[in-house]
Amino acid sequence: MMTWRPISRERLDMIENNTRRALITGITGQDGSYLAELLLEKGYEVHGIVRRTSTETIERVSHIKERLNFVQADLTDQTSVIAAVSETRPHEIYNLAAQSFVPTSWKQPILTSDVTALGVTRVLEAIRMVDPTIRMYQASSSEMFGQVQQIPQTELTPLYPRSPYGVAKCYGHYITVNYRESYDMFAVSGILFNHESPRRGLEFVTRKITDGVARIKLGLQDKLFIGNLDAKRDWGFAQDYVRAMWLMLQQDTPDDYVISSGETHSVREFCEIAFSHVGLDYQKHVEIDPKFFRPAEVNLLLGDCSKANEKLGWKPEITFAGLVQLMVDTDVERLKNTVSGERV
């Protein structure tokens, strides 16, 4: 089991003044793991908030866990969040934790609101109480645009969320703006459009597709059941997007930014590229299952990231096709190793 390592005040006092400290909520998730790697490369001392569970949930950061400092807290518990911030005394906080699976937000709307919306307020309150000079990044989402009011979507596009998750993210976004303007805090929101990677959870449609492709290619299954093939998203690579998070906190003044690829692709296109990459025809294996349709669909998301391009000097480095192929290759290799291990 993981050994929890509280950080003493004495140890913090011994850290050199030029060593940056960052605290990441959601460090064990897709974005948190890539961000932790990036910050370690830049010489940060990296702390991560984790909830107490009976089993370890650190698979995504297991390769760097000895270089990380974990602190137990929960975004539904104000006291623990204040204690975590007070204990670690970070220069930067990246709030990535959330109930982030849209379908679950309909089944658990109260939990989603408590974590994804009010959890942001608890982090902001902890900063205000412990050290208002801490810089904070809030993970906003393109799901806030929902039934889009303009194409493409910019930082000024009106919000029209279409799920409890989207509604909760709207609250988190605007409470961050409110604290920034009310308390002169360096608090920013990154309005990130869909971003994927081999570390994406299997419940998300992109990873469900690439895992399904790998299983079909290896003869482990024959069909892949998914929902709306015509839904369109602006997909990018998570490793590119965490770089934008870091850049936002290095600016002279706080601001909000859309982070996107600037391209839109359908779920159908994702399937076509994924299956063709391993020499298969998606039409022979993909079947539509109505149970995977959302109660209120978000049909088209397309972000305009020109502000981030201009002010942050940020742009994505991997193409849509390259991302899909990377995910397929990783899942094929993972399942090959799993099958080989079982045979041994």
Side-chain angles (χ1 to χ4, degrees):
M1 295 293 290
M2 181 187 301
T3 300
W4 304 106
R5 295 174 286 171
I7 307 302
S8 67
R9 182 68 257 174
E10 291 74 17
R11 181 183 170 195
L12 289 177
D13 289 340
M14 293 173 61
I15 296 172
E16 294 182 0
N17 292 331
N18 62 355
T19 299
R20 303 291 293 175
R21 291 187 300 279
L23 176 63
I24 304 172
T25 74
I27 193 170
T28 60
Q30 171 189 253
D31 292 4
S33 64
Y34 282 118
L35 178 61
E37 289 176 344
L38 175 68
L39 296 178
L40 287 173
E41 289 173 3
K42 293 184 177 297
Y44 279 65
E45 179 177 312
V46 180
H47 303 258
I49 285 181
V50 292
R51 290 177 298 160
R52 194 272 172 193
T53 60
S54 59
T55 57
E56 289 189 359
T57 56
I58 62 166
E59 178 183 352
R60 294 183 181 93
V61 293
S62 60
H63 61 297
I64 55 173
K65 69 177 182 179
E66 299 304 323
R67 301 172 64 192
L68 301 174
N69 302 283
F70 298 96
V71 57
Q72 289 183 4
D74 193 312
L75 289 194
T76 64
D77 181 74
Q78 181 71 77
T79 302
S80 69
V81 177
I82 293 172
V85 175
S86 181
E87 177 182 319
T88 58
R89 293 291 176 137
H91 300 94
E92 300 170 1
I93 292 180
Y94 296 84
N95 185 41
L96 310 184
Q99 190 303 100
S100 59
F101 190 46
V102 174
T104 296
S105 74
W106 274 289
K107 296 179 179 179
Q108 296 181 296
I110 306 303
L111 174 66
T112 299
S113 299
D114 197 9
V115 178
T116 307
L118 292 179
V120 184
T121 309
R122 295 185 184 106
V123 174
L124 287 164
E125 270 294 283
I127 293 172
R128 188 177 70 85
M129 295 174 66
V130 175
D131 180 1
T133 68
I134 295 171
R135 297 189 170 200
M136 175 187 159
Y137 169 85
Q138 163 59 18
S140 290
S141 169
S142 60
E143 287 286 334
M144 299 188 305
F145 296 121
Q147 187 167 309
V148 297
Q149 302 301 291
Q150 70 180 60
I151 300 173
Q153 294 89 55
T154 73
E155 294 81 6
L156 300 178
T157 299
L159 307 182
Y160 196 141
R162 298 272 282 171
S163 68
Y165 170 78
V167 172
K169 279 295 185 182
C170 287
Y171 175 94
H173 180 79
Y174 278 122
I175 198 66
T176 301
V177 173
N178 186 263
Y179 269 65
R180 178 171 73 214
E181 296 178 349
S182 300
Y183 300 113
D184 194 29
M185 292 169 57
F186 197 108
V188 306
S189 289
I191 308 173
L192 271 59
F193 280 63
N194 294 65
H195 47 289
E196 317 299 320
S197 77
R199 299 179 190 176
R200 185 55 125 168
L202 287 168
E203 70 272 22
F204 290 85
V205 67
T206 51
R207 185 72 194 289
K208 181 178 179 180
I209 292 170
T210 61
D211 177 74
V213 167
R215 291 179 181 279
I216 292 170
K217 178 63 177 179
L218 297 174
L220 301 176
Q221 68 184 55
D222 184 56
K223 296 293 183 180
L224 174 63
F225 297 91
I226 57 177
N228 185 6
L229 283 174
D230 296 318
K232 294 182 178 180
R233 296 290 185 271
D234 183 326
W235 276 299
F237 182 31
Q239 194 171 40
D240 281 339
Y241 285 37
V242 300
R243 180 164 41 87
M245 298 177 189
W246 177 77
L247 285 169
M248 290 180 210
L249 291 192
Q250 313 314 309
Q251 304 307 302
D252 293 332
T253 56
D255 207 347
D256 304 324
Y257 298 88
V258 163
I259 303 299
S260 65
S261 73
E263 301 177 0
T264 186
H265 300 275
S266 67
V267 176
R268 189 184 306 276
E269 288 179 79
F270 199 107
C271 288
E272 288 175 344
I273 294 174
F275 277 90
S276 65
H277 185 56
V278 294
L280 298 174
D281 181 355
Y282 86 96
Q283 297 182 79
K284 296 180 179 179
H285 300 280
V286 173
E287 293 192 7
I288 305 300
D289 188 334
K291 76 178 182 181
F292 295 119
F293 280 72
R294 295 183 179 187
E297 183 59 85
V298 174
N299 291 309
L300 174 61
L301 291 173
L302 174 61
D304 178 355
C305 60
S306 56
K307 180 179 176 181
N309 296 159
E310 178 183 346
K311 293 191 174 183
L312 302 180
W314 177 88
K315 62 180 180 179
E317 295 180 355
I318 191 170
T319 65
F320 172 68
L323 169 64
V324 177
Q325 292 164 1
L326 170 65
M327 293 176 66
V328 170
D329 289 341
T330 304
D331 275 327
V332 169
E333 190 63 28
R334 173 182 61 85
L335 287 170
K336 276 184 178 178
N337 293 335
T338 300
V339 172
S340 297
E342 290 175 350
R343 288 172 179 169
V344 172

